Amino acid sequence: WSGRVASGRSIEIKGVNGGIVAEAGTGSEVEVVARKSGRKSDPDEVTIEVVEHASGVTLCAVYPTPRGDRPNQCAPGEGGRMNTKNNDVQVEFTVRVPAGVRFTGRTVNGSIKARGLDADAEAYTVNGSISLATHGVARATTVNGSIVAEMGAAASEALEFETVNGGITLTVPAGSGAELRASTVNGDISTDLPITLLRRMNRRSVSGTIGRGGPRLMMTTVNGDIRLRSAS
């Protein structure tokens, strides 16, 4: 699929089984390629649906609805429904994102990688690692996987980076300000940003103000280290 998405609006990719790769586009149109494969299930039964809406465009890998279940549906954000019961089809997405267009990637079993983007970028998965690099603001959550994110713009609202089994490394612009809340159970926390502590810092928990303060920045994991870095 290819098409124009206005600057400031978003291209959203929603999968279930399979990863998502996003990279900077050289033209004015978004380009999306979906590659399907399956061992036991028929890839032709999985369709790619496109939904245009006020915030941009959403593309979904839509699996056949299991018998007796509610219909699978493609919808923006956390809306829609996708039950892939006993279907092993993998859909791997590659997206080229023009300057000014925001990117959101959502999957369940797969990694998400986005490099060299110009605008805000978000990534959400369950079983997979996340790697984001954008000149805008980044957001990311997973359960089983690490998060590595680099953002080039200061956030104007709260940000969250969360996993359970994996480390978190976040690089923010020099001179950034935020209200930091970071915690891990089995791991260490380190930062090279100036922090005014609200309570005593230890290896596994930090609560304090970065620079002159700003929106809340949450960084939480259970099994993994947390690293907060300045781009300088």
Side-chain angles (χ1 to χ4, degrees):
W1 179 88
S2 64
R4 289 184 178 271
V5 177
S7 180
R9 296 188 177 180
S10 68
I11 177 67
E12 179 183 38
I13 306 298
K14 299 179 71 173
V16 181
N17 298 318
I20 302 170
V21 175
E23 55 193 28
T26 57
S28 60
E29 291 191 338
V30 174
E31 299 177 359
V32 182
V33 175
R35 295 178 175 86
K36 300 184 290 183
S37 63
R39 293 184 177 180
K40 298 180 180 179
S41 303
D42 184 1
D44 289 339
E45 293 183 347
V46 179
T47 61
I48 308 300
E49 294 191 7
V50 181
V51 176
E52 298 185 13
H53 48 88
S55 298
V57 177
T58 296
L59 277 82
C60 305
V62 179
Y63 287 73
T65 301
R67 181 177 297 180
D69 207 347
R70 289 185 294 160
N72 286 335
Q73 180 185 27
C74 179
E78 297 182 358
R81 176 177 172 81
M82 202 58 59
N83 187 337
T84 62
K85 183 179 180 180
N86 298 325
N87 194 306
D88 70 357
V89 171
Q90 299 272 325
V91 183
E92 303 286 340
F93 285 96
T94 301
V95 192
R96 292 180 175 84
V97 186
V101 176
R102 296 183 289 116
F103 165 77
T104 299
R106 301 178 188 272
T107 188
V108 178
N109 300 307
S111 62
I112 300 177
K113 300 178 182 179
R115 309 297 295 180
L117 302 187
D118 178 71
D120 294 354
E122 303 179 28
Y124 307 100
T125 185
V126 177
N127 298 307
S129 294
I130 295 173
S131 176
L132 295 179
T134 179
H135 293 294
V137 174
R139 293 178 173 83
T141 63
T142 183
V143 176
N144 298 307
S146 61
I147 296 173
V148 178
E150 180 177 355
M151 61 187 205
S156 59
E157 55 186 31
L159 294 181
E160 182 174 351
F161 296 85
E162 182 179 8
T163 184
V164 175
N165 297 307
I168 302 172
T169 300
L170 174 63
T171 303
V172 298
S176 293
E179 298 299 326
L180 175 65
R181 305 291 185 273
S183 65
T184 180
V185 177
N186 300 305
D188 295 329
I189 299 174
S190 68
T191 178
D192 57 12
L193 279 74
I195 296 180
T196 302
L197 297 177
L198 299 179
R199 62 173 182 264
R200 186 172 180 177
M201 175 178 173
N202 60 54
R203 291 173 52 196
R204 296 184 174 88
S205 178
V206 176
S207 178
T209 300
I210 300 173
R212 296 183 178 181
R216 178 167 291 191
L217 172 60
M218 298 287 295
M219 302 175 68
T220 58
T221 184
V222 175
N223 300 306
D225 296 332
I226 293 176
R227 303 284 182 258
L228 179 59
R229 301 287 182 250
S230 171
S232 61

